[in-house]
Amino acid sequence: RLQGIIHMLTNRLRSEKSALVTNLLKDAIVLVCIVHIMSCIWMYFGRQKGGWVYAVEQEMLGMGIEFGNSDLDHYVYSYHWALCQFYGNGEHMVTSLEERLFAVVSLLFAFFAATVFVANVTSSITKMHILTGQQGAHLRVLRNYLLEHRISVRLTSRVI
């Protein structure tokens, strides 16, 4: 459904630059959704008996810090964990085999997803640079034509 909405928006946009920006936004939204799904799964594992939630609570209590026990606290911690997977940070506690397996799979998936995201951003920026160069060349040719044929300044400003 999201793909259909994005396709409709892209078709309605007239400029290539707008389409490129829309594609970048689409990629960013997909990335946020992937991180959300990963964090929900991580939160599920953490709430199991002996999961990371218990380990974090014990560690924070040992440091004199109170770890919130609300859904929001667990979700924010899990979202932070999921984001960290995209740059290879494993600072969070893993207390069971299931958590470790999920962490490894998530790290591998995040590595490839981040690579694809960076490649798409690079490709879009390159396309935008090429488009800007082509448009600039077309404007220079048009400007030269208008000057050579002594078109009025008023009409020239309306055309350009």
Side-chain angles (χ1 to χ4, degrees):
R1 184 172 179 198
L2 180 62
Q3 183 99 10
I5 292 170
I6 291 171
H7 183 67
M8 180 194 67
L9 285 174
T10 304
N11 287 338
R12 289 187 181 206
L13 297 172
R14 298 280 183 213
S15 77
E16 280 292 315
K17 288 181 185 177
S18 297
L20 289 173
V21 169
T22 302
N23 281 335
L24 287 175
L25 286 174
K26 176 196 70 160
D27 290 345
I29 289 169
V30 167
L31 199 60
V32 166
C33 290
I34 288 171
V35 171
H36 168 73
I37 291 167
M38 287 171 61
S39 64
C40 288
I41 294 170
W42 185 246
M43 193 165 83
Y44 167 78
F45 282 125
R47 289 182 168 181
Q48 301 303 310
K49 185 176 181 182
W52 63 263
V53 170
Y54 177 76
V56 168
E57 284 175 347
Q58 295 307 308
E59 181 182 339
M60 293 211 172
L61 283 174
M63 294 187 303
I65 302 170
E66 186 175 325
F67 181 69
N69 223 1
S70 71
D71 289 342
L72 180 62
D73 292 325
H74 294 171
Y75 179 76
V76 170
Y77 196 89
S78 297
Y79 201 88
H80 178 242
W81 175 87
L83 278 175
C84 289
Q85 298 311 298
F86 283 86
Y87 62 90
N89 186 349
E91 70 180 58
H92 301 283
M93 291 191 174
V94 178
T95 60
S96 69
L97 178 61
E98 292 85 9
E99 287 179 2
R100 183 150 325 270
L101 285 172
F102 181 68
V104 168
V105 170
S106 295
L107 188 57
L108 289 172
F109 176 77
F111 171 75
F112 289 114
T115 302
V116 169
F117 181 74
V118 169
N120 285 342
V121 169
T122 303
S123 175
S124 294
I125 290 172
T126 302
K127 286 178 187 175
M128 192 153 334
H129 181 70
I130 290 169
L131 285 172
T132 303
Q134 288 173 346
Q135 287 174 346
H138 290 154
L139 278 175
R140 279 192 300 280
V141 169
L142 178 60
R143 213 175 279 120
N144 288 339
Y145 176 85
L146 294 171
L147 284 172
E148 286 175 16
H149 291 85
R150 292 185 170 81
I151 306 299
S152 71
V153 173
R154 184 176 173 197
L155 181 56
T156 300
S157 65
R158 287 178 57 198
V159 170
I160 295 178

